[in-house]
Amino acid sequence: MSAVMERRETPAATPVKARRSWLTRKTAPYVFISPFFILFAVFGLFPLLFTIYLSFHYWDPSTGLGGMKWVGFENFTFVLTDDWFHKSLYNTFWIALVSGVPQHLAAIPLAFFLHTRLSRWRNAVVGLYFLPFITSTVAISLVFTSLFSRDYGLINVLLTQMGQWEVAGLRPLSWVFPTENIDWNDPGYTKWVISFVVWWRYVGWNTVLYLSALQTIPKDLYEAASIDGASRRQQFWHITVPLLRPMMFLAITLSIIGNLQLFEEPFILTGGLGPGGTSIGGPDQAGKTAAMHMYATAYIESDFGTASAVAWLLFLIIAMMTWANNKAFKEKS
Amino acid sequence: MEKRIILDPGQWIAFMVVAVGAMIMLGPFYFMFVFATHSNTDILSVPPPVWFGGQFVANVQVLLEKLPYFWNNLGVSFYVAIITTALNLFFCSLAGYAFATYEFRYKNLLFMIVMSTLLIPPFLGMIPTTLIMTLFGWMNEPRALYLPMACSALGVFLMRQYISSAIPRELLEAARMDGCGEFATFRHIVLPLTGPAMGTLGLITFITSWNNFMTPLVVMRDMEMYTVPLALRALQGSGQVPWGAICAGSSIAVAPLLVIFILASRRLIEGMTAGALKG
């Protein structure tokens, strides 16, 4: 009503002016940023706090909200003494290291090479290496499952052909390459396969991070060094590596945060859920990561309280590792 | 003045290593498309096919037998991704605009909160997300997928960076002097000038939503409402695995991303890493 009245009194005023009554220069920024904070409160913060609350309860969701029972730290003590949690944590760290360390060992020289040696084709090559990062993990993990299958998988075909390659009745490569198909589903290989796929997915991402750091290093440093007679290798070790330290810290931090919560790749590569969900993680659950353990505890065993405790313990571990990484980098410099 | 670069053997090796690496990166995609055009018998023969065949349509038929709702799933994926993108473009540019041009109390603190949310591991929200969606009655509803992702911290950051560098404050002042309201200034002055950033953010959001697996996994219960990654996962199981159909489905799932990537790889890479680099 009042809006209509106002408009009648000042016919010249535009509707825009009428709206200004509450969206002033002071209130507008708060209104404009509120969608983020409202959405975060509902779908981000509340879930976080609720997980804490839930981790102190026993709860099977089929009993409804009233079925929650306060159990104090019982969930945490159970998880901390649970062999399956230890095993999944061991798997997580194993995969995080075996995929994570080579990610950086490959990305740094690659970025250096692209930066110093390639100019015309640089973007195309960066694009090729980055492509795995944007593609659907599920789709590509399924393809890898096919490539790594035992009897017909392309990777076995390639490897065994190298192994069986004969020269004058001898098999010169048989000591490096297998002569028989490898069963990649074997518990001894599961983690290697997962680590390879994770490495494949993130090496381009790390390369891009390092490449962008390299581009900020002033060129005259290299020029001065080469005038002084430093070889390319010496330039790499004495200029590039030290100046890359901040980016190494950031990239390694991101790797720790990402690798310790691996879920999709191992989930798909180990066949998702077996019958009844029992075989999650593949044979001997060799590929079961902590995030998968949380998923299984919640959605297969319907034990949401314990699963919440797993989630928070894993979060604490990630936070501790990040902190340790921070400390290690600070002390060295 | 052209300088001929003469490579020593070490550099040749480096080139070779980079080339082989690029082949390893591309290989899985190549074989995904190749296998998508071959029957299962072909794929399971030794050696497997290395060039395209003519069985793509047949593979899609097998796929549709196994996943009768596949076209539906594709529709759900597109629907969710498009709405997520639209909401993100609107909300993130609005918030980014506020952080870029207004002075207000707690601005820095609030912005720090936005950025620090990037550090929260997604799996932490998995369990309560199920609960919230059950509570709201949003199980099996696309909104359970797009609303939680409707305003990303990375998006707010990207838009703030762009707006603060690309839009002169004088322009905004002039608009206000002419009697433009706060929202009208955004709508008529800022929005039309944010094109490039909108493009980058839109593509990133689309890709993220398209690839999202964890939320649909715990929220979508009926096969009809599955997104594409979830549907593809359902192909795994005991018995004869239909590799041809899986690769056909995967190709369809990856195709939109490849198109986007070919069109805008540079901007996309820069946008995706921006959060890590400047955050």
Side-chain angles (χ1 to χ4, degrees):
Chain A
M1 269 300 277
S2 64
V4 177
M5 293 284 284
E6 253 175 30
R7 234 181 257 177
R8 268 192 202 148
E9 278 165 11
T10 53
T14 58
V16 172
K17 269 211 161 156
R19 244 183 271 159
R20 255 170 82 172
S21 51
W22 62 276
L23 205 61
T24 65
R25 208 167 172 163
K26 276 213 153 141
T27 58
Y30 296 106
V31 176
F32 291 170
I33 63 172
S34 60
F36 176 88
F37 286 94
I38 292 168
L39 288 168
F40 174 66
V42 178
F43 300 111
L45 189 63
F46 171 73
L48 256 157
L49 300 176
F50 192 78
T51 322
I52 301 182
Y53 179 76
L54 208 50
S55 64
F56 292 104
H57 290 75
Y58 173 77
W59 186 46
D60 179 342
S62 60
T63 58
L65 281 176
M68 273 188 218
K69 263 184 261 151
W70 172 265
V71 292
F73 280 96
E74 221 169 84
N75 288 328
F76 287 95
T77 48
F78 171 75
V79 174
L80 285 171
T81 52
D82 179 17
D83 283 346
W84 283 116
F85 178 67
H86 297 164
K87 175 148 193 181
S88 71
L89 211 55
Y90 166 78
N91 292 340
T92 309
F93 272 91
W94 199 102
I95 297 168
L97 272 176
V98 172
S99 69
V101 174
Q103 255 171 48
H104 297 274
L105 291 183
I108 295 173
L110 178 62
F112 183 70
F113 176 81
L114 293 174
H115 181 65
T116 53
R117 276 282 138 196
L118 284 190
S119 50
R120 182 124 71 93
W121 295 100
R122 188 188 297 155
N123 287 331
V125 176
V126 171
L128 285 184
Y129 277 84
F130 194 77
L131 188 59
F133 182 71
I134 66 146
T135 39
S136 163
T137 322
V138 174
I140 212 69
S141 299
L142 285 170
V143 174
F144 268 112
T145 313
S146 154
L147 297 176
F148 275 109
S149 72
R150 190 192 66 190
D151 293 324
Y152 313 101
L154 191 77
I155 290 167
N156 269 339
V157 171
L158 279 177
L159 292 178
T160 50
Q161 271 184 0
M162 300 291 271
Q164 288 168 350
W165 182 55
E166 283 189 29
V167 179
L170 291 168
R171 290 177 173 175
L173 293 178
S174 62
W175 60 282
V176 197
F177 291 100
T179 50
E180 275 176 16
N181 285 349
I182 295 172
D183 182 5
W184 298 104
N185 258 327
D186 189 88
Y189 289 114
T190 312
K191 284 194 273 285
W192 288 104
V193 172
I194 297 169
S195 303
F196 171 75
V197 175
V198 173
W199 175 85
W200 176 85
R201 229 172 97 70
Y202 289 97
V203 74
W205 156 263
N206 283 305
T207 306
V208 169
L209 292 183
Y210 288 120
L211 194 57
S212 65
L214 286 176
Q215 276 154 2
T216 64
I217 299 177
K219 281 221 170 73
D220 24 325
L221 276 178
Y222 291 106
E223 271 160 31
S226 59
I227 288 168
D228 289 347
S231 70
R232 198 165 281 276
R233 187 166 299 153
Q234 283 171 320
Q235 290 175 28
F236 177 77
W237 285 111
H238 296 287
I239 300 175
T240 314
V241 171
L243 287 174
L244 268 187
R245 280 185 63 93
M247 183 50 82
M248 281 158 99
F249 168 65
L250 177 68
I252 291 171
T253 306
L254 291 174
S255 285
I256 291 173
I257 295 174
N259 281 359
L260 290 183
Q261 43 175 330
L262 277 184
F263 179 75
E264 291 169 29
E265 292 91 345
F267 189 75
I268 301 294
L269 287 166
T270 57
L273 299 183
T278 42
S279 77
I280 185 168
D284 200 26
Q285 291 167 315
K288 188 190 206 179
T289 61
M292 281 165 78
H293 182 63
M294 180 199 84
Y295 174 84
T297 311
Y299 297 94
I300 294 164
E301 293 163 27
S302 285
D303 186 351
F304 276 58
T306 308
S308 299
V310 173
W312 270 99
L313 285 170
L314 185 56
F315 176 69
L316 286 179
I317 291 167
I318 293 175
M320 266 160 50
M321 295 305 294
T322 315
W323 175 80
N325 178 41
N326 190 1
K327 210 141 193 240
F329 261 88
K330 278 219 174 109
E331 262 171 25
K332 267 197 180 169
S333 52
Chain B
M1 276 299 283
E2 200 179 313
K3 222 167 77 181
R4 279 201 63 151
I5 301 167
I6 298 159
L7 296 172
D8 59 50
Q11 281 160 350
W12 269 114
I13 291 171
F15 268 105
M16 293 299 290
V17 169
V18 170
V20 170
M23 274 158 68
I24 293 175
M25 295 296 132
L26 272 191
F29 294 104
Y30 176 75
F31 285 105
M32 173 177 74
F33 288 120
V34 167
F35 288 177
T37 62
H38 281 280
S39 70
N40 237 24
T41 355
D42 283 351
I43 297 168
L44 297 182
S45 60
V46 180
V50 290
W51 189 246
F52 298 91
Q55 299 293 309
F56 182 70
V57 176
N59 279 333
V60 173
Q61 274 159 2
V62 176
L63 184 74
L64 289 174
E65 262 166 47
K66 303 260 174 189
L67 302 173
Y69 301 112
F70 188 73
W71 299 131
N72 248 0
N73 303 145
L74 209 58
V76 172
S77 272
F78 266 112
Y79 178 76
V80 169
I82 287 169
I83 295 197
T84 310
T85 307
L87 290 175
N88 253 288
L89 290 184
F90 180 65
F91 287 143
C92 293
S93 58
L94 205 54
Y97 167 57
F99 280 122
T101 63
Y102 285 90
E103 289 307 324
F104 53 98
R105 267 180 79 168
Y106 307 119
K107 176 170 146 175
N108 291 334
L109 176 74
L110 289 169
F111 189 67
M112 257 181 53
I113 294 175
V114 173
M115 292 311 287
S116 58
T117 62
L118 281 172
L119 293 174
I120 299 172
F123 73 85
L124 219 48
M126 194 179 191
I127 291 165
T129 299
T130 323
L131 183 84
I132 293 176
M133 297 312 168
T134 319
L135 220 66
F136 290 177
W138 290 359
M139 278 300 192
N140 275 318
E141 298 255 2
R143 71 183 81 162
L145 299 183
Y146 62 69
L147 278 179
M149 293 175 72
C151 188
S152 70
L154 176 66
V156 175
F157 173 75
L158 282 177
M159 294 313 291
R160 186 195 84 135
Q161 294 296 99
Y162 186 79
I163 291 171
S164 62
S165 70
I167 294 174
R169 301 246 176 147
E170 294 79 17
L171 199 62
L172 303 173
E173 285 308 318
R176 286 202 183 94
M177 300 266 260
D178 289 348
C180 220
E182 299 302 318
F183 186 74
T185 309
F186 168 74
R187 166 79 186 74
H188 296 291
I189 310 291
V190 179
L191 265 193
L193 291 173
T194 50
M198 288 286 204
T200 310
L201 175 61
L203 295 177
I204 293 174
T205 316
F206 187 91
I207 292 172
T208 318
S209 168
W210 187 263
N211 287 339
N212 190 3
F213 178 65
M214 209 187 260
T215 330
L217 178 68
V218 296
V219 168
M220 295 311 202
R221 293 285 157 80
D222 296 341
M223 241 186 153
E224 215 176 327
M225 295 310 293
Y226 279 5
T227 56
V228 171
L230 210 55
L232 286 178
R233 209 254 322 183
L235 287 175
Q236 281 188 317
S238 47
Q240 171 83 307
V241 186
W243 289 121
I246 286 182
C247 287
S250 298
S251 303
I252 295 172
V254 166
L257 306 174
L258 284 182
V259 171
I260 289 174
F261 194 70
I262 290 165
L263 291 179
S265 65
R266 238 191 114 183
R267 282 249 300 279
L268 208 63
I269 293 175
E270 277 165 11
M272 285 193 142
T273 46
L277 297 181
K278 291 150 194 160

